[in-house]
Amino acid sequence: MMAVNAFKIKKELTKDDRLQQRDFLSELIIKLIKKDATDDADSHTLIKVDPEDKGKCAYCAQKKKSKSSAHYYCPGCKQHLHADCYSIHHTGLRIHVVRSSKKGKGGKR
């Protein structure tokens, strides 16, 4: 009902007799889908926090794993997460985060 009313208001304000309701609704749906996808992608990121702001990993707490405090935060979830747990928490897939070795090219890990 709101979409129909929005169409009537736009048609009245623009004085466009060629504007069709189906075209207006299609454009509205596309804009809503794009906005939702953009908002969701932008809000879920992994941000490194200061050591004093670290907290317990939400994924580890849910799985009852005992791990140290998480140094990362996801503003979309409003939860602390380990770098390794971030991908599992958001996608359900285990993606290992590779960290660079401090021993150099010839050293063993």
Side-chain angles (χ1 to χ4, degrees):
M1 192 59 130
M2 290 186 320
V4 173
N5 288 338
F7 167 72
K8 289 180 180 181
I9 291 169
K10 181 169 182 171
K11 193 166 183 173
E12 181 67 32
L13 291 174
T14 60
K15 306 285 187 203
D16 185 2
D17 293 331
R18 295 173 292 145
L19 183 63
Q20 297 293 315
Q21 186 173 355
R22 65 184 157 100
D23 296 333
F24 173 79
L25 293 176
S26 295
E27 184 180 331
L28 177 65
I29 290 168
I30 290 168
K31 286 182 179 179
L32 288 172
I33 290 170
K34 285 183 180 179
K35 181 185 180 321
D36 186 45
T38 304
D39 289 348
D40 189 44
D42 290 344
S43 64
H44 292 278
T45 56
L46 195 58
I47 299 170
K48 187 162 178 125
V49 296
D50 291 329
E52 61 269 4
D53 294 331
K54 64 186 178 180
K56 291 197 176 220
C57 176
Y59 180 78
C60 290
Q62 179 186 12
K63 296 295 181 183
K64 295 182 173 61
K65 294 180 181 179
S66 59
K67 275 193 172 182
S68 61
S69 297
H71 296 271
Y72 295 93
Y73 181 77
C74 175
C77 299
K78 295 181 176 46
Q79 295 177 337
H80 288 87
L81 294 160
H82 292 109
D84 291 343
C85 298
Y86 175 80
S87 61
I88 304 168
H89 179 74
H90 286 92
T91 64
L93 300 173
R94 178 91 175 136
I95 300 171
H96 181 68
V97 177
V98 179
R99 293 180 179 84
S100 62
S101 173
K102 294 185 180 185
K103 292 186 177 186
K105 291 183 179 179
K108 294 182 180 178
R109 286 183 154 192

mmCIF file of all heavy atoms in Angstrom, residues 58-89:
data_model
loop_
_atom_site.group_PDB
_atom_site.id
_atom_site.type_symbol
_atom_site.label_atom_id
_atom_site.label_comp_id
_atom_site.label_asym_id
_atom_site.label_seq_id
_atom_site.Cartn_x
_atom_site.Cartn_y
_atom_site.Cartn_z
ATOM 1 N N ALA A 58 32.993 -13.881 20.137
ATOM 2 C CA ALA A 58 31.598 -14.315 20.122
ATOM 3 C C ALA A 58 31.461 -15.735 19.570
ATOM 4 O O ALA A 58 30.661 -16.525 20.065
ATOM 5 C CB ALA A 58 30.759 -13.348 19.292
ATOM 6 N N TYR A 59 32.250 -16.076 18.557
ATOM 7 C CA TYR A 59 32.164 -17.413 17.959
ATOM 8 C C TYR A 59 32.669 -18.469 18.932
ATOM 9 O O TYR A 59 32.030 -19.502 19.119
ATOM 10 C CB TYR A 59 32.960 -17.470 16.659
ATOM 11 C CG TYR A 59 32.896 -18.829 16.000
ATOM 12 C CD1 TYR A 59 31.775 -19.217 15.288
ATOM 13 C CD2 TYR A 59 33.945 -19.725 16.109
ATOM 14 C CE1 TYR A 59 31.694 -20.470 14.705
ATOM 15 C CE2 TYR A 59 33.888 -20.971 15.522
ATOM 16 C CZ TYR A 59 32.758 -21.343 14.824
ATOM 17 O OH TYR A 59 32.679 -22.583 14.248
ATOM 18 N N CYS A 60 33.797 -18.197 19.566
ATOM 19 C CA CYS A 60 34.351 -19.161 20.523
ATOM 20 C C CYS A 60 33.421 -19.338 21.720
ATOM 21 O O CYS A 60 33.250 -20.448 22.224
ATOM 22 C CB CYS A 60 35.732 -18.706 20.996
ATOM 23 S SG CYS A 60 36.996 -18.824 19.721
ATOM 24 N N ALA A 61 32.817 -18.251 22.178
ATOM 25 C CA ALA A 61 31.890 -18.332 23.303
ATOM 26 C C ALA A 61 30.668 -19.173 22.935
ATOM 27 O O ALA A 61 30.182 -19.969 23.738
ATOM 28 C CB ALA A 61 31.465 -16.940 23.726
ATOM 29 N N GLN A 62 30.186 -19.030 21.701
ATOM 30 C CA GLN A 62 29.035 -19.789 21.230
ATOM 31 C C GLN A 62 29.363 -21.281 21.145
ATOM 32 O O GLN A 62 28.550 -22.122 21.479
ATOM 33 C CB GLN A 62 28.607 -19.273 19.865
ATOM 34 C CG GLN A 62 27.436 -19.993 19.255
ATOM 35 C CD GLN A 62 27.145 -19.522 17.837
ATOM 36 O OE1 GLN A 62 27.940 -18.824 17.225
ATOM 37 N NE2 GLN A 62 26.004 -19.896 17.315
ATOM 38 N N LYS A 63 30.584 -21.608 20.717
ATOM 39 C CA LYS A 63 31.001 -23.001 20.564
ATOM 40 C C LYS A 63 31.619 -23.556 21.842
ATOM 41 O O LYS A 63 32.094 -24.678 21.874
ATOM 42 C CB LYS A 63 32.014 -23.133 19.412
ATOM 43 C CG LYS A 63 31.437 -22.776 18.061
ATOM 44 C CD LYS A 63 30.351 -23.752 17.686
ATOM 45 C CE LYS A 63 29.776 -23.417 16.328
ATOM 46 N NZ LYS A 63 28.688 -24.284 15.951
ATOM 47 N N LYS A 64 31.650 -22.732 22.889
ATOM 48 C CA LYS A 64 32.205 -23.099 24.197
ATOM 49 C C LYS A 64 33.667 -23.530 24.097
ATOM 50 O O LYS A 64 34.105 -24.480 24.732
ATOM 51 C CB LYS A 64 31.351 -24.179 24.855
ATOM 52 C CG LYS A 64 29.960 -23.696 25.178
ATOM 53 C CD LYS A 64 29.145 -24.751 25.878
ATOM 54 C CE LYS A 64 27.831 -24.275 26.360
ATOM 55 N NZ LYS A 64 26.857 -23.784 25.516
ATOM 56 N N LYS A 65 34.402 -22.820 23.270
ATOM 57 C CA LYS A 65 35.842 -23.037 23.139
ATOM 58 C C LYS A 65 36.541 -22.075 24.090
ATOM 59 O O LYS A 65 36.069 -20.971 24.302
ATOM 60 C CB LYS A 65 36.318 -22.749 21.713
ATOM 61 C CG LYS A 65 35.785 -23.678 20.676
ATOM 62 C CD LYS A 65 36.335 -23.280 19.324
ATOM 63 C CE LYS A 65 35.812 -24.159 18.219
ATOM 64 N NZ LYS A 65 36.338 -23.754 16.915
ATOM 65 N N SER A 66 37.653 -22.479 24.631
ATOM 66 C CA SER A 66 38.386 -21.564 25.504
ATOM 67 C C SER A 66 39.568 -20.997 24.729
ATOM 68 O O SER A 66 40.533 -21.676 24.443
ATOM 69 C CB SER A 66 38.870 -22.279 26.760
ATOM 70 O OG SER A 66 39.700 -23.362 26.410
ATOM 71 N N LYS A 67 39.421 -19.748 24.305
ATOM 72 C CA LYS A 67 40.491 -19.040 23.602
ATOM 73 C C LYS A 67 40.731 -17.724 24.315
ATOM 74 O O LYS A 67 39.894 -17.265 25.086
ATOM 75 C CB LYS A 67 40.107 -18.758 22.146
ATOM 76 C CG LYS A 67 40.382 -19.888 21.188
ATOM 77 C CD LYS A 67 40.270 -19.373 19.768
ATOM 78 C CE LYS A 67 40.719 -20.411 18.760
ATOM 79 N NZ LYS A 67 40.658 -19.885 17.396
ATOM 80 N N SER A 68 41.848 -17.122 24.013
ATOM 81 C CA SER A 68 42.159 -15.830 24.608
ATOM 82 C C SER A 68 41.261 -14.743 24.034
ATOM 83 O O SER A 68 40.483 -14.973 23.128
ATOM 84 C CB SER A 68 43.636 -15.493 24.358
ATOM 85 O OG SER A 68 43.863 -15.423 22.965
ATOM 86 N N SER A 69 41.395 -13.564 24.554
ATOM 87 C CA SER A 69 40.581 -12.436 24.103
ATOM 88 C C SER A 69 40.837 -12.120 22.635
ATOM 89 O O SER A 69 41.931 -12.285 22.129
ATOM 90 C CB SER A 69 40.890 -11.201 24.942
ATOM 91 O OG SER A 69 40.546 -11.438 26.281
ATOM 92 N N ALA A 70 39.788 -11.651 21.964
ATOM 93 C CA ALA A 70 39.870 -11.323 20.546
ATOM 94 C C ALA A 70 40.341 -9.878 20.377
ATOM 95 O O ALA A 70 39.868 -8.981 21.059
ATOM 96 C CB ALA A 70 38.521 -11.517 19.885
ATOM 97 N N HIS A 71 41.252 -9.673 19.451
ATOM 98 C CA HIS A 71 41.809 -8.351 19.168
ATOM 99 C C HIS A 71 41.101 -7.666 18.010
ATOM 100 O O HIS A 71 41.537 -6.625 17.555
ATOM 101 C CB HIS A 71 43.306 -8.465 18.847
ATOM 102 C CG HIS A 71 44.105 -8.972 20.000
ATOM 103 N ND1 HIS A 71 44.650 -8.145 20.939
ATOM 104 C CD2 HIS A 71 44.424 -10.239 20.371
ATOM 105 C CE1 HIS A 71 45.289 -8.866 21.838
ATOM 106 N NE2 HIS A 71 45.170 -10.144 21.517
ATOM 107 N N TYR A 72 40.008 -8.273 17.506
ATOM 108 C CA TYR A 72 39.274 -7.721 16.373
ATOM 109 C C TYR A 72 37.802 -7.537 16.728
ATOM 110 O O TYR A 72 37.276 -8.214 17.615
ATOM 111 C CB TYR A 72 39.402 -8.639 15.153
ATOM 112 C CG TYR A 72 40.814 -8.738 14.646
ATOM 113 C CD1 TYR A 72 41.650 -9.750 15.082
ATOM 114 C CD2 TYR A 72 41.317 -7.804 13.752
ATOM 115 C CE1 TYR A 72 42.956 -9.833 14.625
ATOM 116 C CE2 TYR A 72 42.616 -7.887 13.294
ATOM 117 C CZ TYR A 72 43.428 -8.899 13.739
ATOM 118 O OH TYR A 72 44.718 -8.974 13.293
ATOM 119 N N TYR A 73 37.147 -6.634 15.988
ATOM 120 C CA TYR A 73 35.749 -6.291 16.255
ATOM 121 C C TYR A 73 35.008 -6.146 14.935
ATOM 122 O O TYR A 73 35.533 -5.592 13.973
ATOM 123 C CB TYR A 73 35.703 -4.976 17.038
ATOM 124 C CG TYR A 73 34.322 -4.503 17.406
ATOM 125 C CD1 TYR A 73 33.629 -5.084 18.465
ATOM 126 C CD2 TYR A 73 33.710 -3.471 16.706
ATOM 127 C CE1 TYR A 73 32.367 -4.652 18.813
ATOM 128 C CE2 TYR A 73 32.443 -3.038 17.049
ATOM 129 C CZ TYR A 73 31.781 -3.628 18.103
ATOM 130 O OH TYR A 73 30.527 -3.196 18.446
ATOM 131 N N CYS A 74 33.763 -6.651 14.876
ATOM 132 C CA CYS A 74 32.902 -6.492 13.699
ATOM 133 C C CYS A 74 31.788 -5.518 14.066
ATOM 134 O O CYS A 74 30.922 -5.857 14.883
ATOM 135 C CB CYS A 74 32.309 -7.830 13.276
ATOM 136 S SG CYS A 74 31.133 -7.673 11.905
ATOM 137 N N PRO A 75 31.799 -4.301 13.493
ATOM 138 C CA PRO A 75 30.755 -3.336 13.828
ATOM 139 C C PRO A 75 29.363 -3.752 13.365
ATOM 140 O O PRO A 75 28.371 -3.352 13.964
ATOM 141 C CB PRO A 75 31.201 -2.044 13.133
ATOM 142 C CG PRO A 75 32.238 -2.438 12.158
ATOM 143 C CD PRO A 75 32.784 -3.757 12.576
ATOM 144 N N GLY A 76 29.272 -4.583 12.335
ATOM 145 C CA GLY A 76 27.972 -5.055 11.863
ATOM 146 C C GLY A 76 27.311 -5.978 12.871
ATOM 147 O O GLY A 76 26.103 -5.926 13.080
ATOM 148 N N CYS A 77 28.102 -6.835 13.503
ATOM 149 C CA CYS A 77 27.585 -7.768 14.512
ATOM 150 C C CYS A 77 27.658 -7.180 15.921
ATOM 151 O O CYS A 77 27.051 -7.711 16.833
ATOM 152 C CB CYS A 77 28.413 -9.049 14.511
ATOM 153 S SG CYS A 77 28.414 -9.945 12.983
ATOM 154 N N LYS A 78 28.479 -6.142 16.050
ATOM 155 C CA LYS A 78 28.757 -5.547 17.362
ATOM 156 C C LYS A 78 29.329 -6.593 18.309
ATOM 157 O O LYS A 78 28.928 -6.706 19.459
ATOM 158 C CB LYS A 78 27.501 -4.903 17.947
ATOM 159 C CG LYS A 78 27.007 -3.723 17.145
ATOM 160 C CD LYS A 78 25.789 -3.097 17.761
ATOM 161 C CE LYS A 78 25.306 -1.878 17.080
ATOM 162 N NZ LYS A 78 25.187 -1.829 15.677
ATOM 163 N N GLN A 79 30.299 -7.382 17.770
ATOM 164 C CA GLN A 79 30.912 -8.452 18.547
ATOM 165 C C GLN A 79 32.407 -8.523 18.271
ATOM 166 O O GLN A 79 32.861 -8.217 17.175
ATOM 167 C CB GLN A 79 30.275 -9.794 18.198
ATOM 168 C CG GLN A 79 28.828 -9.879 18.570
ATOM 169 C CD GLN A 79 28.214 -11.203 18.149
ATOM 170 O OE1 GLN A 79 28.689 -11.884 17.242
ATOM 171 N NE2 GLN A 79 27.134 -11.569 18.805
ATOM 172 N N HIS A 80 33.155 -8.961 19.283
ATOM 173 C CA HIS A 80 34.575 -9.223 19.119
ATOM 174 C C HIS A 80 34.733 -10.608 18.508
ATOM 175 O O HIS A 80 33.965 -11.524 18.824
ATOM 176 C CB HIS A 80 35.287 -9.167 20.470
ATOM 177 C CG HIS A 80 35.412 -7.788 20.997
ATOM 178 N ND1 HIS A 80 34.440 -7.185 21.756
ATOM 179 C CD2 HIS A 80 36.395 -6.872 20.855
ATOM 180 C CE1 HIS A 80 34.816 -5.960 22.073
ATOM 181 N NE2 HIS A 80 35.997 -5.743 21.538
ATOM 182 N N LEU A 81 35.725 -10.750 17.635
ATOM 183 C CA LEU A 81 35.990 -12.030 16.975
ATOM 184 C C LEU A 81 37.488 -12.180 16.751
ATOM 185 O O LEU A 81 38.196 -11.200 16.552
ATOM 186 C CB LEU A 81 35.282 -12.096 15.618
ATOM 187 C CG LEU A 81 33.760 -12.100 15.640
ATOM 188 C CD1 LEU A 81 33.206 -11.691 14.295
ATOM 189 C CD2 LEU A 81 33.255 -13.474 16.021
ATOM 190 N N HIS A 82 37.960 -13.430 16.759
ATOM 191 C CA HIS A 82 39.335 -13.705 16.331
ATOM 192 C C HIS A 82 39.371 -13.604 14.806
ATOM 193 O O HIS A 82 38.346 -13.808 14.144
ATOM 194 C CB HIS A 82 39.757 -15.120 16.740
ATOM 195 C CG HIS A 82 39.887 -15.287 18.210
ATOM 196 N ND1 HIS A 82 39.008 -16.024 18.949
ATOM 197 C CD2 HIS A 82 40.797 -14.790 19.082
ATOM 198 C CE1 HIS A 82 39.366 -15.993 20.212
ATOM 199 N NE2 HIS A 82 40.439 -15.250 20.324
ATOM 200 N N ALA A 83 40.534 -13.336 14.260
ATOM 201 C CA ALA A 83 40.668 -13.252 12.810
ATOM 202 C C ALA A 83 40.267 -14.581 12.162
ATOM 203 O O ALA A 83 39.593 -14.603 11.132
ATOM 204 C CB ALA A 83 42.093 -12.871 12.433
ATOM 205 N N ASP A 84 40.661 -15.700 12.764
ATOM 206 C CA ASP A 84 40.312 -17.019 12.223
ATOM 207 C C ASP A 84 38.814 -17.315 12.343
ATOM 208 O O ASP A 84 38.253 -18.030 11.524
ATOM 209 C CB ASP A 84 41.087 -18.123 12.954
ATOM 210 C CG ASP A 84 42.576 -18.088 12.652
ATOM 211 O OD1 ASP A 84 42.960 -17.449 11.658
ATOM 212 O OD2 ASP A 84 43.345 -18.688 13.414
ATOM 213 N N CYS A 85 38.168 -16.779 13.353
ATOM 214 C CA CYS A 85 36.748 -17.057 13.599
ATOM 215 C C CYS A 85 35.823 -16.161 12.782
ATOM 216 O O CYS A 85 34.650 -16.483 12.603
ATOM 217 C CB CYS A 85 36.426 -16.890 15.083
ATOM 218 S SG CYS A 85 37.329 -18.042 16.139
ATOM 219 N N TYR A 86 36.339 -15.051 12.281
ATOM 220 C CA TYR A 86 35.522 -14.087 11.551
ATOM 221 C C TYR A 86 34.830 -14.723 10.341
ATOM 222 O O TYR A 86 33.628 -14.589 10.157
ATOM 223 C CB TYR A 86 36.382 -12.902 11.106
ATOM 224 C CG TYR A 86 35.659 -11.906 10.240
ATOM 225 C CD1 TYR A 86 34.815 -10.966 10.804
ATOM 226 C CD2 TYR A 86 35.818 -11.907 8.859
ATOM 227 C CE1 TYR A 86 34.137 -10.042 10.008
ATOM 228 C CE2 TYR A 86 35.153 -10.995 8.065
ATOM 229 C CZ TYR A 86 34.318 -10.063 8.640
ATOM 230 O OH TYR A 86 33.649 -9.164 7.856
ATOM 231 N N SER A 87 35.597 -15.443 9.518
ATOM 232 C CA SER A 87 35.018 -16.039 8.305
ATOM 233 C C SER A 87 34.012 -17.134 8.645
ATOM 234 O O SER A 87 32.982 -17.261 7.986
ATOM 235 C CB SER A 87 36.115 -16.592 7.401
ATOM 236 O OG SER A 87 36.839 -17.597 8.075
ATOM 237 N N ILE A 88 34.266 -17.904 9.680
ATOM 238 C CA ILE A 88 33.339 -18.970 10.071
ATOM 239 C C ILE A 88 32.042 -18.354 10.590
ATOM 240 O O ILE A 88 30.949 -18.799 10.253
ATOM 241 C CB ILE A 88 33.948 -19.852 11.178
ATOM 242 C CG1 ILE A 88 35.285 -20.427 10.733
ATOM 243 C CG2 ILE A 88 32.999 -20.981 11.550
ATOM 244 C CD1 ILE A 88 36.064 -21.052 11.850
ATOM 245 N N HIS A 89 32.176 -17.321 11.389
ATOM 246 C CA HIS A 89 31.016 -16.661 11.988
ATOM 247 C C HIS A 89 30.099 -16.067 10.917
ATOM 248 O O HIS A 89 28.882 -16.131 11.032
ATOM 249 C CB HIS A 89 31.499 -15.574 12.950
ATOM 250 C CG HIS A 89 30.409 -14.799 13.611
ATOM 251 N ND1 HIS A 89 29.648 -15.323 14.621
ATOM 252 C CD2 HIS A 89 29.946 -13.543 13.402
ATOM 253 C CE1 HIS A 89 28.770 -14.419 15.017
ATOM 254 N NE2 HIS A 89 28.924 -13.332 14.291
#
